[in-house]
Amino acid sequence: MALVTFLSDFGDKDYYVPAVKAKMLAVNPQLNIIDISHNIDTFDIAHAAFVLRSTFRDFPKGTVHLVSLNTTGSITHGYIGVKLEEHIFVGPNNGLLSLLADHEPGIMVQFADIHLKDSTFPTKDILAPIAAKVASGAAIHDFGGPLKNFRKLMSRHPKATREHIIGHVLRVDRYGNLITNVNKEVFDKLNPGKFSIEFGRESVNRLHKGYDQVEPGDCFAFFNSLDLLEIGINHGHGAELLGLKYDSVVYVTFHP
C-alpha cells in the first residue's frame, strides 16, 4: 500500500494543502494520502514534533511521512529523508525530525542538488515528488547521499529521584488540558503509594481514570493514551485558569 501522511502548519483556508496533494497524485494517482494535521501552530516545531511523535507509530511500518514546517526558514539546512523505526520521513533539516525519538534514525539522506530547485514553495516542488516516489517504491538513497549534518534540537526530559519527579508541560491542547512529559512507567516505578502532584496553584493526591472522574470545575490528573501525565480542569480551560503554559513545571512528590 502506497501510504503518505502529511503534516504542516498550512491551515485549511489556502491552496497550499491541495496543491501539495495534487503534486503527489500526479506522480502516483493510487497514493493514499492521510492528513495528520495542518493546524500546527505556525512555525512551532515543538508542536509539530509532539503531534508527529504521538502518532507516527500507529501507522503501518513503511509509511512515508511528509513534514512541512519552516521549509523556507533560515534555520532549515536543506531537505532530507530519514528512516526511523521502519518509517520514512521526508522534510526540512531544521531539527524537527530529531525530536521524534530518543535515538537517531538508522538512515539519514541529504537530498542531492539534482532534485532541488529554486522555489518559494519547496514542499510542493521538492518534497512532495520525493515523498510520492518513495511511497511508490523508490529508496530514499535514490535521491541523495549520507547526511553529514543532522540538525538536532534538545527536548526536555523529566528529572526523577526517589522523592520527586520534576516534569514540564509538553502541550496545551485545544480544551486547555496540559499534557506533560511525566511518563507512567517512571511514575509507577517510584510511586510508594502516596504522592502529590502540584501544578500552578493546585495540588491533587490521587490519579483519575478520565476527565469526568471529577466534578465540573475540579482538577483532574491521569495518565492518557500516550502514558503521559495529563492535568487540567473538567469543563474548564486548565491552562488559563491555572496560569500554566508550554514548558511550565509540574512537581510530583512521593511520600513514604
Side-chain angles (χ1 to χ4, degrees), residues 19-20 23 33 53 58 84 88 95 109-110 119 126 143 150 163 195 215 242:
V20 173
K23 191 73 170 183
I33 304 172
R53 179 169 178 152
D58 293 325
L84 173 69
I88 305 295
V109 172
Q110 177 86 45
S119 173
I126 298 171
F143 301 95
F150 183 45
E163 294 81 24
F195 60 87
E215 295 294 324
L242 296 167

Side-chain angles (χ1 to χ4, degrees), residues 22 40 42 80 108 111 121 140 170 190 222 225:
I40 298 299
T42 52
I80 62 175
M108 297 183 284
F111 295 145
F121 198 173
I140 53 174
L170 291 178
L190 296 174
F222 63 87
S225 61

Side-chain angles (χ1 to χ4, degrees), residues 146-161:
L147 175 63
K148 297 179 180 179
N149 181 25
F150 183 45
R151 184 173 173 84
K152 296 180 182 179
L153 298 177
M154 298 297 293
S155 58
R156 278 196 178 274
H157 292 276
K159 297 179 181 179
T161 68

Side-chain angles (χ1 to χ4, degrees), residues 25-240:
L25 291 171
V27 173
N28 181 357
Q30 303 303 314
L31 281 181
N32 187 7
I33 304 172
I34 305 296
D35 296 303
I36 292 181
S37 176
H38 299 296
N39 290 306
I40 298 299
D41 296 336
T42 52
F43 313 119
D44 192 337
I45 286 178
H47 183 194
F50 174 78
V51 171
L52 191 55
R53 179 169 178 152
S54 300
T55 55
F56 82 83
R57 295 179 181 88
D58 293 325
F59 289 93
K61 291 182 178 180
T63 297
V64 176
H65 304 274
L66 174 59
V67 183
S68 177
L69 198 86
N70 293 351
T71 54
T72 60
S74 60
I75 65 171
T76 291
H77 295 234
Y79 305 102
I80 62 175
V82 306
K83 187 174 184 179
L84 173 69
E85 299 176 20
E86 302 303 317
H87 290 255
I88 305 295
F89 300 85
V90 173
N93 186 20
N94 58 15
L96 193 160
L97 298 182
S98 73
L99 298 174
L100 300 183
D102 295 329
H103 54 276
E104 283 196 1
I107 297 174
M108 297 183 284
V109 172
Q110 177 86 45
F111 295 145
D113 291 344
I114 192 172
H115 299 290
L116 308 182
K117 60 179 71 175
D118 290 333
S119 173
T120 60
F121 198 173
T123 303
K124 171 179 175 284
D125 296 329
I126 298 171
L127 299 177
I130 293 176
K133 291 173 184 177
V134 173
S136 302
I140 53 174
H141 288 110
D142 296 342
F143 301 95
L147 175 63
K148 297 179 180 179
N149 181 25
F150 183 45
R151 184 173 173 84
K152 296 180 182 179
L153 298 177
M154 298 297 293
S155 58
R156 278 196 178 274
H157 292 276
K159 297 179 181 179
T161 68
R162 291 184 177 181
E163 294 81 24
H164 302 281
I165 299 176
I166 302 175
H168 295 82
V169 174
L170 291 178
R171 179 67 191 155
V172 178
D173 72 12
R174 70 186 304 267
Y175 301 99
N177 303 323
L178 301 123
I179 302 171
T180 77
N181 61 356
V182 177
N183 182 273
K184 185 177 187 299
E185 181 180 1
V186 175
F187 178 91
D188 287 345
K189 285 181 179 179
L190 296 174
N191 181 20
K194 290 185 178 182
F195 60 87
S196 59
I197 302 171
E198 299 175 42
F199 45 95
R201 301 175 295 276
E202 300 291 337
S203 176
V204 298
N205 56 16
R206 62 179 289 246
L207 290 173
H208 306 98
K209 295 182 178 180
Y211 306 100
D212 60 353
Q213 296 291 301
V214 299
E215 295 294 324
D218 288 344
C219 295
F220 61 77
F222 63 87
F223 284 97
N224 63 19
S225 61
L226 301 173
D227 282 340
L228 296 176
L229 181 67
E230 184 169 336
I231 56 180
I233 296 176
N234 189 19
H235 286 198
H237 197 288
E240 293 178 356

